């Protein structure tokens, strides 16, 4: 992998994974905005629901149109719109609407970016971990800074997350234009996935996380 490709992929992951910093603080932000605790909890349920609905829907569209880059640009643009509104100190109703938009749009973002990254790396797929690690470092750094400033700047998580969502949308246009191959699904591949020894431990870690 050449330096230019590594820089473009790493920049995208730094912005995209770092933007997740808004989620851990979102319940508190919603309550601060005037929602009751039960209403804030209900709003937070939209995030996994949007992921379950939006992820397969957008990914199906990307497969049918062979347009992974196009769908990724559309969904990151929608997330960036939500992020931009977060920068403007929105009313509680608008904040909830943007959280719903973000929930539906974010579903396919990371899977599509992973597919583009693996296609761009080609035979050098062993470098994927190093590229992905940049995003993890950015996220940890964003959480530390946001947590430290939270008491004196209550909206810091929205400002940080919103800014990084906008940066993600911009970085998406900088990703390598490598074609992503679409392989038709069949029961053999699905059965192989379901019986893979790593799947259940990985699912357990995700649930605990």
């Amino acid at each position: 992998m050449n330096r230019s490709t590594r820089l473009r992929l790493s920049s995208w992951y730094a912005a995209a994974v770092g933007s997740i910093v808004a989620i851990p603080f979102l319940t508190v932000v919603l309550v601060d905005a005037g929602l009751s605790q039960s209403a804030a909890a209900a709003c937070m349920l939209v995030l996994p629901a949007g992921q379950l609905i939006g992820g397969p829907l957008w990914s199906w569209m990307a497969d049918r149109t062979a347009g992974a880059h196009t769908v990724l640009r559309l969904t990151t643009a929608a997330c960036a719109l939500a992020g931009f509104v977060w920068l403007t100190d929105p009313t509680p109703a608008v904040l909830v609407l943007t959280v719903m938009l973000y929930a539906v749009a974010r579903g396919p973002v990371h899977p599509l970016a992973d597919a583009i990254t693996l296609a761009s790396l080609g035979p050098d797929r062993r470098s994927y971990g190093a590229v992905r690690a940049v995003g993890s470092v950015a996220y940890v750094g964003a959480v530390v800074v946001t947590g430290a400033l939270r008491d004196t700047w209550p909206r810091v998580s929205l400002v940080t997350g919103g800014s990084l969502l906008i940066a993600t949308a911009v970085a998406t246009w900088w990703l390598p234009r490598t074609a992503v191959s679409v392989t038709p699904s069949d029961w053999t591949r699905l059965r192989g996935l379901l019986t893979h020894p790593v799947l259940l431990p990985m699912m357990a870690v995700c649930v605990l996380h």
Side-chain angles (χ1 to χ4, degrees), residues 41-180:
C43 185
M44 291 298 292
L45 287 175
V46 174
L47 290 174
Q51 185 106 8
L52 289 172
I53 297 171
L57 178 63
W58 287 108
S59 299
W60 174 81
M61 186 180 299
D63 287 346
R64 289 295 297 268
T65 62
H69 288 81
T70 300
V71 172
L72 183 60
R73 288 173 179 176
L74 286 173
T75 51
T76 54
C79 290
L81 176 60
F84 176 77
V85 174
W86 293 350
L87 300 180
T88 65
D89 195 12
T91 64
V94 173
L95 179 58
V96 170
L97 288 175
T98 55
V99 169
M100 294 173 65
L101 171 63
Y102 172 66
V104 174
R106 71 186 287 258
V109 168
H110 290 274
L112 288 177
D114 287 343
I116 292 171
T117 298
L118 291 173
S120 300
L121 294 176
D124 193 23
R125 292 189 173 190
R126 293 172 64 93
S127 300
Y128 171 77
V131 171
R132 194 66 170 74
V134 175
S136 299
V137 172
Y139 173 73
V140 171
V143 169
V144 171
V145 172
T146 300
L149 296 176
R150 161 70 193 169
D151 290 341
T152 55
W153 187 10
R155 297 187 61 254
V156 62
S157 60
L158 286 184
V159 172
T160 304
S163 299
L164 290 172
L165 285 174
I166 295 171
T168 302
V170 174
T172 298
W173 289 83
W174 200 32
L175 287 174
R177 289 289 298 172
T178 308
V180 177

